[in-house]
Amino acid sequence: MQTTLTKLRFLVSLVLLLSSTACHKERPEPEAVPLPAELKSYTLFQPGTHWIYQDSATRQLDSVWVVSAEQTVHRLGNGSKNKTYPTLKYEDFRLRTRSGRGGPDRLYSIDRTCTLPNREDQASQLPCWSVRRSQDLPNSTADEEGTDVFPYLIDRDKASFLNIYNAVLYYYWNSQVQRIGGVPYDELLQVKLTADASENGWPVHYYWVSGKGIVRQRIRRNNVVQTWTLVRSTIVQ
């Protein structure tokens, strides 16, 4: 009888232990939030991509090409310890380009600002995703001088702006066909920066097109405007 009672107590304790373990089982991590396909069509290109730009003033040509493109998964938030900012995994990319004009490589990387629940509606004041452009400084331990150059999501046909660090970013996404250098483009996004750290602090105006990337870049240095416009390209996505 004593043996049977001991076995019964052991079984009850085992059941309680297993139940307690099951109750405290950690929740599995969510799947990585993928980069929006629309964002990738504007900004993410593979090696083999090549652009030729021309200076509107001097007619000088510039060749720009993709050196490398790497997609990874980034973690944002502190997990179950913080209910306000839960763990979020999302796709990330790092794109490196090089110019025939010389100078440092340009790095493009994704920055996600919103956590769960996702706030990717166009009514939000801040974009959930933005692309940062920076200079590659391999011998420096300082910041790479990054600047937001592509805010996403944003409304079409609506002038908007963001205050970012020491600059103001103005952007406008055209739903109607626009002509750049005599070439018609659909869904043209214009991004104007009052101070672009990736261009040593000068004001810069970018023109982005789906499947093409930057089709025009206008830089104002010492009150002198230099405009590089796309004349031909080879795109790999």
Side-chain angles (χ1 to χ4, degrees), residues 122-133:
Q122 297 184 359
S124 176
Q125 292 295 317
L126 293 175
C128 237
W129 308 84
S130 64
V131 173
R132 294 181 65 80
R133 185 175 190 258

Side-chain angles (χ1 to χ4, degrees), residues 59-71:
R59 314 308 293 174
Q60 178 185 356
L61 293 178
D62 176 34
S63 178
V64 178
W65 62 95
V66 175
V67 177
S68 63
E70 180 183 2
Q71 286 183 261

Side-chain angles (χ1 to χ4, degrees), residues 36-55:
E38 183 179 49
L39 173 64
K40 290 194 291 185
S41 70
Y42 279 83
T43 58
L44 182 55
F45 303 91
Q46 300 301 319
T49 298
H50 188 264
W51 299 272
I52 303 293
Y53 298 94
Q54 186 173 50
D55 187 337

Side-chain angles (χ1 to χ4, degrees), residues 111-115 117-121 124 126-130 152-153:
D111 182 31
R112 183 177 170 89
T113 59
C114 60
T115 57
N118 297 339
R119 286 283 303 173
E120 300 193 16
D121 58 281
S124 176
L126 293 175
C128 237
W129 308 84
S130 64
Y152 182 91
L153 289 164

Side-chain angles (χ1 to χ4, degrees), residues 100-119:
R101 283 182 285 168
D105 290 353
R106 292 294 190 263
L107 302 177
Y108 296 84
S109 58
I110 192 71
D111 182 31
R112 183 177 170 89
T113 59
C114 60
T115 57
L116 296 174
N118 297 339
R119 286 283 303 173

